[in-house]
Structures are given as structure tokens and as C-alpha cells.
């Protein structure tokens, strides 16, 4: 519990402002004369009281006391100062770092807990891509073999499809926590791989659980958050997933310790196993899943949403034809064609990827407060062009194009990813998103294999990547021309089938 005490001297107008219930970071309710509790907000406990003493000069001495405890897990230490600052200086609008809507305590707990799962999922999803260059050096594998291996890992989406279908029937929480624990364990077995084939097989299993996390984390977040803050939530989770990927990048210098030292990077996730138990205790089940649980057999069928399903799947396919090889072959490009060491690759990636947070923050705010379509379409188009330029450049331009392409790609992510949970009713959300992910992973395989096959004929990775970047531009065109606008719409309004079920509390 945090206690703030302020001693103020105010005039009548300022006193009236203090006596008005707050509506910025939280919504207050009047509990009595100069006594305010919480109506809605990200706090487990909250109370604000005023002691007012008139002065002879017509002003007032005021002692304001605020007691509160944030309903945030894991990150309370990080939010302590900004929340404290804001609590003492109320405003008419929510601060830029907070969700656009006022969220309740349950949503705050759910979102903060999901950020930890997103970090773990980001590390597991990045693991083989970041280490492939060094594993291939030990195993003597060429770029074509690497391309096929990176593509084969994505076959794990078939297992993920089964798990997310279970999440529609049995609940998001149990599947999410199970996939987290099993994904860590399965991925760690890559440290024992004697050859590229065995490494690939181990990561097919590990990646299947990581893919399950990638699907269910945004679903649970979207089902918990208010309508004007879903893109904010998915943007925050994307940042945390990138942070997990960043941890994998930061571990890369371990590979410089020796030819086999890259295996240590596969053991790092085992440190997160104790956290999984804590996630189980903290994470609530999705409130929308609970509200629809009695109807999980469902009267709606996925075929009723085949148009939305096809549109999202095709767009994801085209995006991943571009995104997957651009990400997975970056280390090989920097190593083979630009002469970077493992430590230099790690530094380059961290310095050019960390500012992606700027793009995510701006993109999520615009997607929630303004519109999704133009944000996503602009971001993906610019990112595709700049990424192609990166693979064809050297020197200062290499850094410039990498940085700007990363920021603008991140700018588009919240606006696009929020569509996947938004466009389907609760009883179908897991299965639909599983199918979309499976199709987008086919796009990844297509992009990886195509890049591997084009590298030699076109004279290098740069030329091959410039070709597959066309997929990003085509995806942006589809978003702009065919997607609906869903900003500030309740999930039940976007999916009328949910209106027939019990009301969400």
C-alpha cells in the first residue's frame, strides 16, 4: 500500500476541482463528504480523503491523503513513480503510457501477467532463428538446408491448432500455462541435438507450444480489455514479445565462447520455469470465456465466418512471406555478407530493434483513438520498402534502413494483430486464430524456402529478400481495401453471435 499526503493552499475554484471525482487514470465514486473510493481503475485498493480548513483570506488549507495499491503483477516497481506522479497531479485525460480507457483491477492483473508469458513466448519463438547460423556452422549445413530447417520448424503449428481448439472448449488459462511450461522444456532439448535434423525436430515440438502462446495471449487480452484499449494491450504484448526476442539476442555472445557454445542459449529458458507456477496463480480466466462457457458447444459454425477467415489468413500469409525470411536470415546476412561477429550481430540487433517500442506506442494509440486500417497499411508498406533497402545496403545506410524499417513495422503491428481476436465470436476465437496462424506459417515456409532458393541465382541474400518484400506491400493493400474498421467497437458488436449468449459482466 502506498500513502501520499499533500498539504495544499487553494482557492474556491481549486477546492471545487479537488472535490470533483477523478476520471483520468481511474474513475472515483463519492463515498461521503470529501471521501472518495474507486468505481473503476487498475487498483486493488484506493481511497482519497480531504481535510479542509478555511483561512481568513478566503482560501483553504487542504490536507489530501491518498492510499492505493496497484492491481499490477510483476511490473509494480516500474510503474511506481509514474503512477505516483499522476496520482498527485490529476488531469482530464489518461496519461500517454496508460490504456486509453480506464481498466479495472481484473484487466490490469490479466494484462500484466500476460506480459510475462509474452516475454517467454518471444524468446522461444526467436530461439532457432537466432542460433541457426551458429548451429549450421557446427553441423556444416548450407543456406538451403537452413532454409528448409527453419521452414520445417513451423510445422509445429499443426500441434498448436489442436491446443487452441482445446482452449475454446476447456478455457484459455489452463492451455496457456501448460503450453508455457511444455514449450520451455521442449525447446531446451535443442541443447542436446547431435545434428541439424534432430535440432529441427526438437524445435518443431518447442515451437508448437510457443505458437500456442502467440495465439492465446492476444485472445485472452482482447477478451479482458475494454473496447478502446485492445490495440494498446496487443501493442504492449508485442513489446514484451520483442523483449523476449531481445533476451535471445542478448544471449548470442555466448555463441562466441566456442563452436558448440550456442547450445547454452537453449538452456536459458529453463530459468523461467519457476515463474510459470506464479503465472498460474495470478492469471484469471478470460471473463468472456467464462460468460460463454455454458454455450461452448456453440450454435455458430466456423463456416459462417469463412470470408473473414480467408481475408485474415491471406493477409497473414503475404505478410509472412516477407517478414519470416527478413527476420530469420538477418544474422546470416550480417555474418556472411557483412562480416559481423556474434557480438556485433547482437549489438546491431539490439540497437536497431529496441526503438521499435516507439512505433508500437504510436501505432497502438492511433489504432485505438483513430483507426486501424490506415495505420496498419502505411506501416507495412513502409517497412517492406525499407527492409528491402536494408538488404541491399552497407555502411551507415545499413543502420538507417534497419532502424526505420523496424520502427515502422512495429507501428503497424498493434493495428493489424488486434483484428485476429476481434473478428470471431468467443466460441470460435481460438480455432479461427489457430487456422490463421497455420496459414501464416505456411507463408513463412514459402518465404524462407523461396529466399533460400533465390539466393544463389540472384547473387546473394539481399537480392532474394528484395523480391519477397513484395508480400508486405500486397498485404498492406488488402488491409486498406478489404478490412472493416473496428476501432472502439465492442467484441459483441463486431460479432453479433455473441449477443445471443449470456451478458458479459
Amino acid at each position: 500500500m502506498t500513502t501520499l499526503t499533500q498539504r495544499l493552499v487553494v482557492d474556491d475554484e481549486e477546492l471545487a476541482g479537488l472535490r470533483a471525482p477523478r476520471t483520468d487514470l481511474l474513475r472515483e465514486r463519492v463515498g461521503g463528504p470529501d471521501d472518495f473510493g474507486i468505481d473503476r481503475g487498475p487498483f486493488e485498493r484506493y481511497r482519497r480523503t480531504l481535510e479542509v480548513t478555511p483561512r481568513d483570506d478566503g482560501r483553504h488549507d487542504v490536507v489530501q491523503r491518498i492510499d492505493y495499491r496497484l492491481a499490477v503483477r510483476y511490473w509494480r516497481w516500474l510503474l511506481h513513480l509514474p503512477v505516483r506522479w499522476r496520482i498527485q497531479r490529476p488531469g482530464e485525460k489518461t496519461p500517454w503510457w496508460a490504456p486509453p480507457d480506464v481498466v479495472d483491477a481484473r484487466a490490469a492483473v490479466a494484462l500484466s501477467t500476460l506480459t510475462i508469458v509474452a516475454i517467454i513466448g518471444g524468446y522461444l519463438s526467436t530461439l532457432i532463428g537466432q542460433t541457426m547460423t551458429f548451429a549450421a556452422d557446427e553441423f556444416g549445413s548450407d543456406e538451403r538446408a537452413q532454409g528448409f530447417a527453419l521452414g520445417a520448424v513451423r510445422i509445429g503449428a499443426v500441434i498448436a491448432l489442436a491446443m487452441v481448439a482445446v482452449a475454446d472448449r476447456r478455457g484459455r488459462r489452463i492451455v496457456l500455462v501448460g503450453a508455457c511450461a511444455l514449450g520451455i522444456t521442449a525447446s531446451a532439448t535443442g541443447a542436446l541435438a547431435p545434428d541439424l535434423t534432430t535440432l529441427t525436430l526438437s524445435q518443431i515440438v518447442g515451437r508448437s507450444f510457443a505458437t500456442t502462446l502467440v495465439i492465446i495471449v492476444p485472445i485472452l487480452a482482447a477478451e479482458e480489455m475494454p473496447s478502446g484499449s485492445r490495440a494498446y494491450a496487443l501493442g504492449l504484448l508485442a513489446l514484451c514479445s520483442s523483449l523476449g526476442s531481445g533476451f535471445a539476442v542478448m544471449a548470442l555472445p555466448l555463441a562466441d565462447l566456442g563452436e558448440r557454445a550456442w547450445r547454452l542459449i537453449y538452456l536459458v529458458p529453463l530459468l523461467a520455469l519457476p515463474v510459470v507456477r506464479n503465472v498460474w496463480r495470478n492469471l484469471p480466466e478470460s471473463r468472456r470465456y467464462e460468460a460463454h462457457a455454458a454455450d461452448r458447444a456453440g450454435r455458430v459454425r466456423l463456416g459462417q465466418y469463412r470470408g473473414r477467415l480467408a481475408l485474415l489468413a491471406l493477409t497473414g500469409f503475404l505478410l509472412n512471406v516477407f517478414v519470416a525470411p527478413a527476420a530469420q536470415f538477418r544474422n546470416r546476412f550480417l555474418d556472411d555478407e557483412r562480416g559481423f561477429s556474434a557480438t556485433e550481430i547482437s549489438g546491431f540487433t539490439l540497437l536497431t530493434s529496441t526503438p521499435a517500442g516507439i512505433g508500437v506506442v504510436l501505432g497502438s494509440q492511433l489504432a485505438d483513438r483513430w483507426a486501424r486500417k490506415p495505420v496498419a497499411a502505411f506501416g507495412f508498406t513502409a517497412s517492406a520498402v525499407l527492409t528491402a533497402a536494408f538488404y541491399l545496403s552497407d555502411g551507415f545506410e545499413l543502420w538507417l534502413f534497419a532502424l526505420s524499417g523496424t520502427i515502422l513495422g512495429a507501428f503497424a503491428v498493434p493495428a493489424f494483430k488486434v483484428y485476429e481476436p476481434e473478428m470471431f465470436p468467443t466460441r470460435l476465437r481460438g480455432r479461427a486464430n489457430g487456422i490463421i496462424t497455420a496459414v501464416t506459417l505456411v507463408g513463412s515456409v514459402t518465404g524462407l524456402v523461396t529466399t533460400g532458393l533465390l539466393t544463389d541465382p540472384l547473387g546473394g541474400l539481399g537480392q532474394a529478400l528484395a523480391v519477397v518484400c513484395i508480400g508486405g506491400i500486397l498485404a498492406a493493400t488488402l488491409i486498406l481495401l478489404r478490412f472493416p474498421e473496428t476501432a472502439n467497437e465492442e467484441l459483441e458488436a463486431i460479432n453479433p453471435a455473441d449477443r445471443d449468449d449470456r451478458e458479459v459482466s
Side-chain angles (χ1 to χ4, degrees), residues 74-88:
Y74 309 103
W75 305 104
R76 193 176 288 151
W77 59 273
L78 182 62
L79 293 172
H80 175 72
L81 289 179
V83 169
R84 182 187 180 95
W85 190 91
R86 187 64 180 196
I87 285 290
Q88 295 181 93

Side-chain angles (χ1 to χ4, degrees), residues 222-424:
E223 292 178 345
E224 283 293 307
M225 296 297 288
S227 61
S229 297
R230 288 194 297 267
Y232 168 91
L234 268 66
L236 178 61
L237 292 170
L239 279 177
C240 291
S241 180
S242 297
L243 179 60
S245 300
F247 286 146
V249 174
M250 284 187 280
L252 275 182
L254 291 172
D256 283 336
L257 298 177
E259 186 180 48
R260 295 170 58 84
W262 59 269
R263 298 169 184 273
L264 296 173
I265 303 171
Y266 284 79
L267 300 177
V268 172
L270 294 175
L271 299 174
L273 273 177
V275 179
V276 177
R277 182 178 180 183
N278 194 258
V279 168
W280 172 258
R281 289 199 300 264
N282 285 320
L283 186 65
E285 180 56 86
S286 155
R287 72 182 80 197
R288 280 186 165 88
Y289 175 81
E290 290 180 335
H292 295 282
D295 302 291
R296 59 177 175 261
R299 293 183 299 277
V300 295
R301 298 289 180 266
L302 195 54
Q304 296 172 244
Y305 292 83
R306 58 181 176 272
R308 295 181 178 185
L309 188 63
L311 180 60
L312 283 163
L314 177 59
T315 306
F317 176 93
L318 291 170
L319 275 175
N320 275 271
V321 166
F322 144 58
V323 171
Q328 299 289 3
F329 282 114
R330 173 180 281 206
N331 287 1
R332 172 60 69 180
F333 171 74
L334 294 173
D335 182 11
D336 288 355
E337 301 193 15
R338 296 297 179 263
F340 281 45
S341 68
T343 301
E344 289 171 334
I345 291 172
S346 177
F348 179 89
T349 304
L350 289 173
L351 289 173
T352 57
S353 297
T354 302
I358 299 170
V360 171
V361 171
L362 291 176
S364 60
Q365 291 286 345
L366 285 174
D368 273 332
R369 298 180 186 275
W370 177 42
R372 318 259 203 246
K373 292 169 55 175
V375 172
F378 168 75
F380 285 137
T381 300
S383 177
V385 172
L386 290 167
T387 299
F390 161 76
Y391 276 98
L392 296 172
S393 64
D394 199 355
F396 172 76
E397 290 81 7
L398 188 79
W399 291 79
L400 178 63
F401 291 136
L403 178 63
S404 55
T406 297
I407 291 175
L408 288 170
F411 177 81
V413 167
F416 173 69
K417 293 300 290 184
V418 74
Y419 277 106
E420 294 176 1
E422 282 183 338
M423 298 291 282
F424 303 95

Side-chain angles (χ1 to χ4, degrees), residues 177-197:
V177 176
C180 198
L182 292 171
I184 290 171
T185 305
S187 296
T189 62
L192 305 176
D195 52 45
L196 185 62
T197 300

Side-chain angles (χ1 to χ4, degrees), residues 23-27 40-43 70-72 79 83 86 92-109 111-112 115 221 224-236 361 364-366 368-369 488:
T23 58
D24 53 348
L25 194 60
L26 72 156
R27 289 205 303 261
R40 184 182 180 90
F43 297 92
L70 269 176
V72 171
L79 293 172
V83 169
R86 187 64 180 196
E92 296 181 359
K93 297 181 179 180
T94 57
W96 65 268
W97 46 264
D101 289 330
V102 175
V103 302
D104 61 16
R106 174 173 169 147
V109 170
L111 182 59
S112 56
T115 59
E224 283 293 307
M225 296 297 288
S227 61
S229 297
R230 288 194 297 267
Y232 168 91
L234 268 66
L236 178 61
V361 171
S364 60
Q365 291 286 345
L366 285 174
D368 273 332
R369 298 180 186 275
N488 294 299

